[in-house]
Amino acid sequence: IRLIPNGIPKNYLKKRNSNIIRKKFNFKKNEIVVLSFSRMHKSKGLDLSVRAANFFPKVKFLIAGVDAGELSNLKKLSSELGLNNVYFFSEVPENIKLNVFSASDIFFFPSHYDAFGIVLLEAFSQRIAVVASNAGGIPWVVDGAGLIFKDNNIDDLKNKLSLLINNSKIRTKF
């Protein structure tokens, strides 16, 4: 038996235009952007993206993807925490999806369970650093190409994100 992992089309490897999305959200060139891109469902752990934003007020957190019942809860949590550095982008058209990745410095994937997580490959294709949970098949996909945090462990998450946010050499390495 040979295992053939999931893949992405070869044209995804072309670096996309980061300015389109940065202009849309008025992100400055020198501002760090942390992206979480997935279906907005409770199982995806996107509440951790909102909670992480509380620790990094100068960093922009962009949560993007199709709403699967969690968007209003995420917006409510952001409001309750008084955050002004969390942005939501639902219903992202396929033709600009990779521009969203390209506009980001860090891809944060806090899913509580994913057998694979094709979005990780999409993030890698745009050469952005990855931080992901240790749930399901995610660590196998990330392997040594990014950082893994303990699922639902806010301290471990904060440490891994802090490492990438505060160290451009490590961010570039990943």
Side-chain angles (χ1 to χ4, degrees), residues 65-125:
V66 175
D67 181 21
E70 194 64 12
L71 180 59
S72 62
N73 293 333
L74 296 169
K75 286 181 175 180
K76 181 180 176 191
L77 178 60
S78 179
S79 178
E80 286 171 357
L81 294 172
L83 301 175
N84 61 5
N85 62 332
V86 178
Y87 302 80
F88 297 95
F89 189 13
S90 59
E91 307 298 325
V92 178
E94 186 67 28
N95 65 326
I96 66 161
K97 177 172 66 172
L98 292 178
N99 292 345
V100 177
F101 283 92
S102 183
S104 307
D105 300 287
I106 299 166
F107 179 64
F108 175 49
F109 192 53
S111 180
H112 299 307
Y113 179 79
D114 262 272
F116 188 85
I118 201 81
V119 293
L120 293 163
L121 299 184
E122 293 168 337
F124 290 143
S125 81

Side-chain angles (χ1 to χ4, degrees), residues 11-48:
N11 68 336
Y12 276 45
L13 301 177
K14 179 184 173 216
K15 184 77 169 148
R16 297 308 201 278
N17 185 344
S18 64
N19 294 328
I20 295 168
I21 303 304
R22 283 190 174 259
K23 283 181 182 175
K24 176 180 176 58
F25 288 100
N26 201 26
F27 297 156
K28 294 176 179 54
K29 190 172 186 141
N30 63 338
E31 290 179 311
I32 301 288
V33 177
V34 175
L35 169 67
S36 291
F37 193 114
S38 72
R39 185 172 42 93
M40 293 186 204
H41 185 271
K42 192 166 184 69
S43 68
K44 297 298 184 176
L46 295 172
D47 61 306
L48 293 174

Side-chain angles (χ1 to χ4, degrees), residues 141-165:
V141 177
V142 173
D143 199 22
L147 299 176
I148 299 293
F149 74 96
K150 294 175 192 147
D151 187 27
N152 270 325
N153 185 320
I154 199 76
D155 290 328
D156 192 31
L157 157 62
K158 184 170 70 169
N159 290 336
K160 301 286 171 56
L161 272 177
S162 182
L163 184 64
L164 291 175
I165 289 168

